[in-house]
Amino acid sequence: MPIDHEFGGQHTEIKLSIVEGYLNAFTTALRPHFMSLWYIDAFAGTGSRTVRTERRGADMVEMPVDELVEQRRGSAQIALDVRPQFDFIVFIEKNRSYVSALTDLAAKNLQRRIVVAEEDANSALKKLVANNRWDDKRAVVFLDPYGMEVEWSTLETLADTRAIDVWFLFPLAGLFRQATRKLTDIDEHKRAALTRMFGSDSWEAELYPDGAPDMFGVLPERRRELNPKGLEQYVQRRLGKIFGAVLTPLALPIDRAPQMFSLFLCISNKSPEAIGLATRIGKHLLDPKRHRIVRSIV
Ligand SMILES: C[S@@+](CC[C@H](N)C(=O)[O-])C[C@H]1O[C@@H](n2cnc3c(N)ncnc32)[C@H](O)[C@@H]1O
């Protein structure tokens, strides 16, 4: 009996299909050049996800539809299905019952090299990077948190390897909530979350610039002027300072406001060849037009 892990919406389907497309292209392109290709799923879930389509009563034009509950593949199963295969797969997950589902998944694939770690993603990734050499392998890390769990120091650690491509579902709505319009509305909790997310308190001066004093020398209230798109560009610029390249992200969901997430591809390798290859594949996958076409066919 699979464990129920219900999350996301239609944007989850798009996100997973993009990551799947990238993983297949990644191992196909790099297999001839590297003996060791790794996949690291830092918020791994269970390997499957429960998708519930609500019951709909009959109306003038449509027949009634019963509630439908389906199990679809989550990122962990998708990674196992990638061909050519990854040589080594790491699943990191904090929730104990999800870890046991991942352990079952590993047991069904005994011929594969799989490690399941029950741990916080930030500490597990830092250890994994510190305990391995990175000049002889390439890896993809998938960061798919519910909220603002990813710390800036973790992103710096991944970027410093120069060997890892990072898919990061950035929680734009979470940032929007924490970075309130007025600086004075940011309490200690929000301040700590923003500093953890951006690695220092420089966000304060960058997002809430000082205005010019009025004729009496009084400074105006400090406010965030950036809208969600502006915040997304701010995040991209920040990521661009530590990674070799960061592609323009895909705004999710694609079909309705408000934007909840930005799906980023961050390339840690600084060589033009590595950036060129990842960009060619990633840009195509992240093109919003591609997803609108898919939607209209379905
Ligand atoms: C959106 S789900 C990931 C879904 C998964 N990528 C999939 O496609 O099936 C987020 C997962 O991260 C886990 N999680 C939350 N905080 C975590 C943390 N700090 N470290 C590791 N896992 C965490 C949750 O238990 C949950 O399973």
Side-chain angles (χ1 to χ4, degrees), residues 62 65 78 104 135 158 174 193 210 228 268:
E62 294 201 58
V65 180
I78 286 172
D104 290 348
D135 54 349
L158 298 174
D210 280 325
S268 70

Side-chain angles (χ1 to χ4, degrees), residues 5 7 16 43-45 74-75 93-94 98 119-121 144 146:
H5 185 203
F7 64 93
L16 290 176
F43 296 83
S75 53
E93 173 56 56
K94 215 164 94 168
Y98 294 176
E119 202 174 333
D120 166 65
D144 186 19
Y146 287 139

